[in-house]
Amino acid sequence: MATRLVQINMKARDDSALGGFWAQVLGWGVSSEGPGVTNLEPEGFVYPDPVAVCIDLIVSPEPKTVKNRVHVDLATTSKAHQAQVVARLKDLGATAAEVGQGDVPWTVLADPEGNEFCVLDPRPLYQDTGPIAAVVVDCADPRAMARFWSEATDWTLHEVTDQGARLRSAEGVGPYLEFVRTPDVKSGWNRVHLDVRPYPGDDLEAEAVRLRSLGATPIDLGKDVPWRVLADPEGNEFCLLTPS
């Protein structure tokens, strides 16, 4: 049994407007499964496929108050391309963001609702990932997080140190999942979180039990939903969706 990282869940005050921004950023298509939900995925994409981690934007009235612990890094192919991407995204409504990054070769921006993301300098590692180079999670212990997430999913561990860890889908396609050591302490619910899904034919409850045995803890939303909400060993919420 295993799960797959299938999408990023992002809360939004205006899911349609923010979804439109990210669709232009990534060059992806926009759809909606219902009011207050905007779904983004590549044109012609057949869900789920590890070639991309999709984005679901869910309407929420709660304001963003702290730096997100989950963000995306965008890939570029050259310094000129990086500069072009940054300029284009600012024209779309992105703004420069300060997260204590100092003098670094990448550019930190925020989307129109303040969600931080990075436009990376060109790196060979990310030349075949698609527009999203990596989904990045702040953490205190990259080794422990890599151990949990590599066992929770079928993603392959590519690199792990005390400062960071990197995983990628078992097929070796799509973006990386990275854990970066940071001094920040988690505060409140994550505005951006990961969604994982079991394979067709697997049992949702059995998979939830397996994840708890690895160190996940269940979260009771106080309402009946078809998925399960859990937290990883550092308290980051994630959703275990129904098999598909």
Side-chain angles (χ1 to χ4, degrees):
M1 297 179 67
T3 66
R4 299 155 290 166
L5 174 58
V6 291
Q7 61 208 36
I8 302 164
N9 184 297
M10 182 183 298
K11 299 296 185 288
R13 293 189 299 276
D14 185 334
D15 64 285
S16 179
L18 193 60
F21 168 83
W22 279 102
Q24 292 184 80
V25 169
L26 302 172
W28 287 4
V30 181
S31 61
S32 176
E33 61 192 67
V37 181
T38 298
N39 311 105
L40 307 180
E41 59 185 38
E43 298 286 357
F45 181 80
V46 179
Y47 177 93
D49 187 319
V51 72
V53 174
C54 302
I55 299 178
D56 279 4
L57 298 105
I58 310 298
V59 71
S60 171
E62 298 178 3
K64 181 179 184 296
T65 58
V66 298
K67 175 179 174 289
N68 290 337
R69 294 187 69 79
V70 180
H71 72 267
V72 298
D73 284 351
L74 303 182
T76 63
T77 57
S78 67
K79 293 296 289 185
H81 182 225
Q82 181 186 15
Q84 292 168 2
V85 169
V86 170
R88 183 176 71 86
L89 299 191
K90 286 183 175 179
D91 286 343
L92 292 175
T95 55
E98 174 57 54
V99 294
Q101 67 267 28
D103 184 17
V104 294
W106 59 90
T107 302
V108 184
L109 299 174
D111 71 18
E113 291 200 8
N115 299 296
E116 304 87 2
F117 64 97
C118 297
V119 180
L120 298 181
D121 48 297
R123 306 179 193 183
L125 180 68
Y126 302 126
Q127 293 310 298
D128 66 345
T129 61
I132 298 178
V135 181
V136 183
V137 182
D138 292 351
C139 67
D141 187 342
R143 291 185 183 276
M145 290 288 277
R147 182 167 53 251
F148 171 80
W149 281 96
S150 63
E151 293 176 345
T153 68
D154 64 355
W155 282 38
T156 302
L157 182 61
H158 283 248
E159 180 183 356
V160 60
T161 69
D162 290 340
Q163 299 305 313
R166 180 179 293 117
L167 291 76
R168 200 180 193 191
S169 73
E171 289 82 356
V173 297
Y176 289 85
L177 175 61
E178 298 181 353
F179 299 95
V180 177
R181 189 183 189 94
T182 62
D184 303 332
V185 177
K186 184 177 184 294
S187 174
W189 279 69
N190 287 343
R191 195 168 180 80
V192 181
H193 71 254
L194 308 180
D195 285 347
V196 300
R197 191 182 291 275
Y199 280 88
D202 285 350
D203 182 82
L204 179 68
E205 290 305 328
E207 186 59 33
V209 169
R210 188 184 74 87
L211 293 174
R212 291 198 298 270
S213 74
L214 296 175
T217 54
I219 296 175
D220 185 0
L221 295 181
K223 58 183 179 180
D224 186 27
V225 293
W227 60 87
R228 299 293 175 266
V229 183
L230 302 159
D232 70 19
E234 291 201 6
N236 298 298
E237 302 85 10
F238 68 97
C239 290
L240 175 66
L241 306 179
T242 55
S244 174

